[in-house]
């Protein structure tokens, strides 16, 4: 597990119990959302994207082979 922070900016609009808006990471990727589940999905997508952009994410390193 990595301890690198993922910075996400939120632009929220609340109307009663409803939430809409956009979540944006430092790379400029924006995910629009509607509702609380949509917000969670947007956050999950941005965090997953950040994990693939970490140094070494494309090359996990040597693997142990069994004879």
């Amino acid at each position: 597990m990595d301890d690198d922070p993922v910075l996400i900016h939120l632009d929220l609009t609340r109307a009663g119990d409803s939430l809409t808006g956009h979540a944006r990471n430092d790379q400029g990727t924006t995910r629009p959302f509607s509702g609380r589940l949509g917000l969670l999905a947007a956050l999950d997508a941005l965090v997953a994207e950040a994990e693939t952009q970490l140094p070494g994410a494309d090359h996990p390193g040597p693997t142990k082979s069994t004879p």
Side-chain angles (χ1 to χ4, degrees), residues 6 8-10 12 21-25 29-50:
V6 177
I8 298 175
H9 307 271
L10 294 176
L12 299 172
H22 296 84
R24 180 178 43 88
N25 64 13
T29 303
T30 300
R31 300 275 189 232
F33 62 86
S34 178
R36 286 172 171 76
L37 291 178
L39 171 59
L40 291 175
L43 293 174
D44 282 342
L46 291 172
V47 169
E49 181 176 311

